[in-house]
Structures are given as structure tokens and as C-alpha cells.
């Protein structure tokens, strides 16, 4: 074969190999329904890498925003609170994004100090679209757990995790880190704490369902656990004809202990007065209703309501024709208990959009400040939890009452057209307000 033929063959090979980028451009411009399965997957992968590169830019912007204290300047207590409103994400997701941005990028604080990123290699791979956000979170948590290890070993751990990320999904990557990388960079583990814990380990997590039922779980230290068992024991004894199981007897015993505690004369108060149950229903209607009738706007039957009212403080209230509590015009800065009760009957909890905090933890906010002549009356008050009370005072959010409903107008950086919003979680025409 002559040298010229060799040159021609090599040239032809060279000409054929780079044709793939043009092929990708053709795939990107072809309607989806005309693509074959392989081309469809290739297009999906290409879009995915573009999303990852956008995420890298997002984290860079977020790092700068958090470092310069933008949220605080706009009246928010922290960056997470700002993200909740501007991005419509949960607070936990907002905190996770902030943690990822801080790990990937250097942060210059308002004082001029620089906090160096501890995942620089991960940041480069994300910017190149070669690592996913889920993998970033796995690497951040794993490398963050090595805060007691020498910096050189931490860098090795990141490198090993990034290399493995090319093959593993986030779950497999997490297992790889714990089973292999930790043995390499941290075989001895973290040294045990010399000091005794300052407070007992106690947790209680609660979830309330729509129908009012509660599910909870938790843990107690040994001393409190012994006290808990001792309190339940007298109430969960099995009677001769008792058909309840172990769990049912425990639940009934717990309810009995709670009832005993509620009847204790030394029961702590909330907002200046003890627990009350308010029925916005006429006494005649309550008395005449049959036991099985479910009261309008509630999940209670008339019999259940009468049972609750039997051992409760009956609070008479003057209501308007549309079942709204009437104002009590008493000029005072501190909201009196009787006005507070009317406010709870109306708002039922924090009135800020999307907030489900109950009335028992809410403040009575003067819409027009008392210092500016705003009266302490229902027409100038709204219930706000501590977080949203601070936000209203410090930011550009505005609130006004219209027909007894609180409407909140967001700043333009949350909603450019500033459309008023209201809380729908406490809305409805309920005749039973519940405990405060």
C-alpha cells in the first residue's frame, strides 16, 4: 500500500469520528415523536447535564446571596426564610440548598472573612454536569462527618467519592463511603466524648391528622422512662373480661394519665389562662340536637360536644348574624383576654398564608400600630406566630383585614405583581374552634 493511501484512510477515519456533536445537534432539533429510543435517551441525558450546570450556577448565586446577608437586609431572619417565599420550597429543602452552596463555594462574610469551600472538586464536577445534586448531598454529608480528620485525608475522601459517583447512584454512593472510604481515611472513628451529656436525651415527635387523631413517637432517658411506666401501670391493668390488647391498654392508660394531669390545679397556663374549649353554637341548639348529629363545620357529634362541655368552662360570646364575634372596644395595648378569645374564634391560628401554627402559640398583632393610634379591637388585630410576626414588622409584607379575613401582600421580589394572599388552612365555616 502506498503512503498516500495510508494518509487518505487516516483522514477518512479522522473525518468520521467528530461527526457525533453534529448528530447531537440534529437530535436536539428533531421532534420527540420522530426520535428512536436511543436518540430519545441521548436527548434526555443532554438536558439533564444542562440542568446540572444550571444548578451549579444556582449554588454560586445562593452562596453569594447568603454570604452578603441579603435576606437580613430585606427583613428576613435568615436566607432559608427568604427562599421559602421566593422559591416556594420547604424550609428543610431551603436549608439543604444553603448547606450545599456553602460546601461548594467560598463564602465571603459581611465582615470580610472568607470561609473556604470544603468540596471544591465536587463543585467542578457539578459545573461540568458530571455529578448529580443527589450525589452532591451524599458527598457533603459524608465529608462533613469527617470534621475530626486531617485536611489531607478529607481531600482524599472527596476525591474517592467523586470518582465513584461516575458509577453509583446516591444510595450506592452513600454505602460505598461508609463501607470503604471511611476505612481508608478514618479507621479509628471519632474519639468518644469525655464530658457527660449536659441534659437527658428526650424527644417527642407528633403528627396530627385531618380528623384530629394524633400519631407520635419519641424516646426518654432511663429515669423518665421509669417514671412513665410507673404512671401508666395502675391504669393499664387487665380486668377479668378485658378483651383489649397490650397496645390498646397502653393507649387507654396514657389517655387516663393525661386526663389526670389536665385536672391538676397546678396545670400551667397558656397566654394567661388555662385551656378552654369554645363552641360557637347556641346553647339551645346544642341542647336540642340528638347525640348522633354531627355539628355543622365540625367532626364532633352533639353528644361529644355535650360531654366536653359537661366538664368545661362554658364561655358565652355575643356573635354577629354571620357568626362572627363582635368587637369589644377597650383601649389597651396589651390585648385583654376577652378580645383575645374573639380573635382566636375568628383567625383560629396564625393568619399568615400557608402557616398552620395554632392560636396557642400566636401573638396578637396590631395592624395599625398602637403607637400610631391603632385601636386594640378585632378590626385592627390579627393572629401571627412568632416567626411571621417578626417578618411583618421587619420586611415589606403588608396585611389588611377585609370582611374579617386577613390578606397579606408580598414584596415585589416574592411576587412581581404583588397579588394579596390569605391563609386557607384555618378557613371554613367551623362552629367548633377547639382548644387554645
Amino acid at each position: 500500500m502506498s503512503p498516500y493511501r495510508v494518509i487518505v484512510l487516516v483522514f477518512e477515519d479522522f473525518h468520521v469520528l467528530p461527526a457525533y456533536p453534529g448528530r447531537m445537534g440534529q437530535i436536539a432539533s428533531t421532534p420527540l415523536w420522530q426520535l428512536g429510543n436511543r436518540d430519545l435517551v441521548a436527548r434526555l441525558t443532554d438536558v439533564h447535564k444542562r440542568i446540572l450546570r444550571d444548578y451549579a450556577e444556582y449554588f454560586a448565586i445562593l452562596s453569594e446571596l447568603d454570604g452578603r446577608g441579603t435576606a437580613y437586609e430585606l427583613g428576613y431572619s435568615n436566607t432559608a426564610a427568604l427562599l421559602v417565599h421566593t422559591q416556594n420550597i420547604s424550609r428543610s429543602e431551603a436549608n439543604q440548598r444553603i448547606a450545599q452552596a456553602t460546601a461548594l463555594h467560598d463564602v465571603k462574610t459581611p465582615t470580610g472573612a472568607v470561609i473556604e469551600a470544603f468540596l471544591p472538586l465536587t463543585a467542578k464536577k457539578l459545573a461540568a454536569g458530571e455529578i448529580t445534586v443527589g450525589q452532591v448531598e451524599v458527598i457533603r454529608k459524608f465529608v462533613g462527618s469527617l470534621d475530626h480528620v486531617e485536611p489531607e485525608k478529607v481531600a482524599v475522601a472527596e476525591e474517592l467519592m467523586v470518582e465513584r459517583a461516575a458509577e453509583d447512584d446516591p444510595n450506592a454512593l452513600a454505602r460505598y463511603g461508609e463501607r470503604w472510604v471511611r476505612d481508608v481515611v478514618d479507621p479509628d472513628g471519632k474519639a468518644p466524648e469525655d464530658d457527660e451529656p449536659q441534659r437527658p436525651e428526650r424527644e417527642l415527635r407528633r403528627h396530627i391528622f385531618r380528623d384530629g387523631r394524633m400519631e407520635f413517637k419519641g424516646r426518654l432517658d432511663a429515669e423518665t422512662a421509669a417514671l412513665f411506666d410507673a404512671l401508666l401501670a395502675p391504669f393499664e391493668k387487665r380486668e377479668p373480661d378485658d378483651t383489649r390488647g397490650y397496645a390498646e391498654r397502653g393507649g387507654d392508660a396514657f389517655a387516663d394519665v393525661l386526663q389526670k394531669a389536665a385536672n391538676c390545679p397546678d396545670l400551667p397556663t397558656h397566654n394567661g389562662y388555662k385551656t378552654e374549649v369554645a363552641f360557637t353554637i347556641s346553647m339551645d341548639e346544642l341542647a336540642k340536637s340528638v347525640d348522633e348529629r354531627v355539628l355543622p363545620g365540625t367532626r364532633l357529634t352533639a353528644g361529644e360536644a355535650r360531654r366536653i362541655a359537661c366538664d368545661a368552662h362554658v364561655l358565652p360570646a355575643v356573635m354577629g348574624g354571620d357568626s362572627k364575634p363582635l368587637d369589644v372596644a377597650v383601649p389597651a395595648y396589651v390585648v385583654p383576654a376577652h378580645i383575645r378569645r374573639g380573635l382566636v374564634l375568628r383567625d383560629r391560628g396564625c393568619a399568615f398564608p400557608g402557616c398552620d401554627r395554632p392560636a396557642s402559640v400566636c401573638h396578637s398583632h396590631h395592624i395599625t400600630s398602637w403607637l400610631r393610634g391603632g385601636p386594640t379591637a378585632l378590626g385592627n388585630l390579627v393572629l401571627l406566630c412568632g416567626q411571621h410576626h417578626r417578618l411583618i414588622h421587619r420586611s415589606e409584607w403588608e396585611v389588611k383585614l377585609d370582611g374579617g379575613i386577613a390578606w397579606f401582600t408580598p414584596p415585589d421580589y416574592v411576587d412581581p405583581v404583588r397579588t394579596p394572599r390569605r391563609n386557607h388552612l384555618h378557613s371554613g365555616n367551623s362552629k367548633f374552634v377547639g382548644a387554645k
Side-chain angles (χ1 to χ4, degrees):
M1 182 179 294
S2 68
Y4 297 102
R5 288 184 179 177
V6 173
I7 292 174
V8 170
L9 289 175
V10 172
F11 177 77
E12 288 177 351
D13 288 343
F14 176 77
H15 178 73
V16 171
L17 288 176
Y20 187 70
R23 173 69 174 159
M24 285 304 301
Q26 181 181 357
I27 292 175
S29 61
T30 303
L32 295 180
W33 65 271
Q34 292 183 355
L35 293 176
N37 290 336
R38 291 182 179 275
D39 288 341
L40 196 62
V41 172
R43 184 164 173 179
L44 182 68
T45 301
D46 185 57
V47 172
H48 179 62
K49 288 186 176 181
R50 187 164 68 247
I51 291 173
L52 295 178
R53 291 192 290 268
D54 287 342
Y55 250 117
E57 182 182 3
Y58 176 91
F59 287 137
I61 297 171
L62 179 56
S63 175
E64 174 67 20
L65 183 148
D66 186 51
R68 69 167 64 175
T70 298
Y72 185 80
E73 292 294 330
L74 294 175
Y76 285 81
S77 57
N78 51 54
T79 302
L82 176 63
L83 293 185
V84 168
H85 285 153
T86 58
Q87 318 282 286
N88 286 331
I89 59 178
S90 67
R91 182 170 288 272
S92 60
E93 184 176 356
N95 286 325
Q96 184 182 87
R97 291 185 183 184
I98 295 168
Q100 291 171 342
T102 303
L104 296 173
H105 298 279
D106 293 347
V107 176
K108 187 175 182 179
T109 66
T111 61
V114 176
I115 303 175
E116 294 185 357
F118 67 90
L119 296 179
L121 180 59
T122 306
K124 292 179 181 179
K125 291 294 184 179
L126 180 63
E130 299 176 5
I131 193 171
T132 69
V133 177
Q135 291 171 325
V136 169
E137 180 62 9
V138 169
I139 296 173
R140 182 188 72 82
K141 287 184 175 179
F142 178 76
V143 175
S145 70
L146 303 175
D147 56 346
H148 58 287
V149 177
E150 296 86 346
E152 296 78 11
K153 291 185 177 181
V154 172
V156 171
E158 184 195 5
E159 184 177 354
L160 291 173
M161 293 291 283
V162 168
E163 288 179 359
R164 188 71 178 193
E167 303 177 15
D168 287 351
D169 63 75
N171 290 333
L173 183 62
R175 292 193 295 269
Y176 170 75
E178 290 298 332
R179 295 178 182 178
W180 299 103
V181 179
R182 192 175 293 278
D183 287 343
V184 173
V185 300
D186 187 26
D188 297 328
K190 191 172 183 178
E193 298 287 345
D194 293 332
D195 298 333
E196 292 291 328
Q198 306 226 343
R199 61 183 310 276
E201 184 181 9
R202 300 173 187 154
E203 291 182 352
L204 179 62
R205 303 180 186 274
R206 293 167 286 180
H207 174 72
I208 300 178
F209 296 93
R210 290 183 178 180
D211 60 2
R213 293 178 299 117
M214 178 187 291
E215 181 178 83
F216 56 88
K217 64 178 180 179
R219 67 180 67 186
L220 298 173
D221 61 280
E223 180 181 351
T224 309
L227 175 62
F228 184 74
D229 277 339
L231 289 173
L232 292 183
F235 297 99
E236 61 180 350
K237 292 180 180 179
R238 173 170 258 165
E239 302 297 332
D241 298 328
D242 198 342
T243 59
R244 297 174 300 166
Y246 173 78
E248 289 179 288
R249 286 187 287 114
D252 289 342
F254 188 47
D256 290 337
V257 170
L258 290 177
Q259 188 61 53
K260 283 286 187 182
N263 293 332
C264 176
D266 296 326
L267 180 70
T269 62
H270 293 278
N271 298 306
Y273 42 85
K274 294 188 178 182
T275 302
E276 294 175 336
V277 177
F279 294 91
T280 53
I281 181 175
S282 71
M283 292 300 295
D284 289 341
E285 183 180 357
L286 180 60
K288 294 177 182 177
S289 297
V290 296
D291 283 348
E292 292 76 19
R293 180 197 172 197
V294 178
L295 299 179
T298 77
R299 299 181 185 276
L300 290 175
T301 65
E304 290 170 334
R306 278 193 288 267
R307 176 181 59 79
I308 295 174
C310 179
D311 189 26
H313 173 207
V314 178
L315 172 67
V318 180
M319 310 297 289
D322 52 0
S323 296
K324 293 179 180 177
L326 301 179
D327 285 348
V328 182
V330 178
Y333 178 66
V334 177
V335 178
H338 54 293
I339 294 184
R340 166 81 185 188
R341 293 185 183 108
L343 188 58
V344 170
L345 289 174
R346 188 194 70 197
D347 292 349
R348 306 178 187 181
C350 178
F352 195 89
C355 186
D356 61 355
R357 299 289 286 167
S360 59
V361 299
C362 290
H363 307 163
S364 303
H365 168 68
H366 286 71
I367 297 174
T368 299
S369 171
W370 179 75
L371 295 175
R372 296 182 179 180
T376 302
L378 285 179
N380 189 48
L381 294 171
V382 63
L383 283 183
L384 292 174
C385 68
Q387 172 192 343
H388 292 123
H389 197 185
R390 290 189 294 271
L391 181 64
I392 288 295
H393 277 281
R394 295 171 53 182
S395 73
E396 298 172 33
W397 280 85
E398 300 172 0
V399 57
K400 69 176 183 178
L401 284 174
D402 186 1
I405 297 174
W407 290 90
F408 295 78
T409 302
D412 55 4
Y413 54 81
V414 174
D415 179 6
V417 297
R418 304 197 71 193
T419 303
R421 309 175 182 183
R422 60 168 293 191
N423 191 325
H424 295 279
L425 299 180
H426 305 296
S427 62
N429 196 24
S430 174
K431 299 295 183 181
F432 175 73
V433 177
K436 299 194 286 289

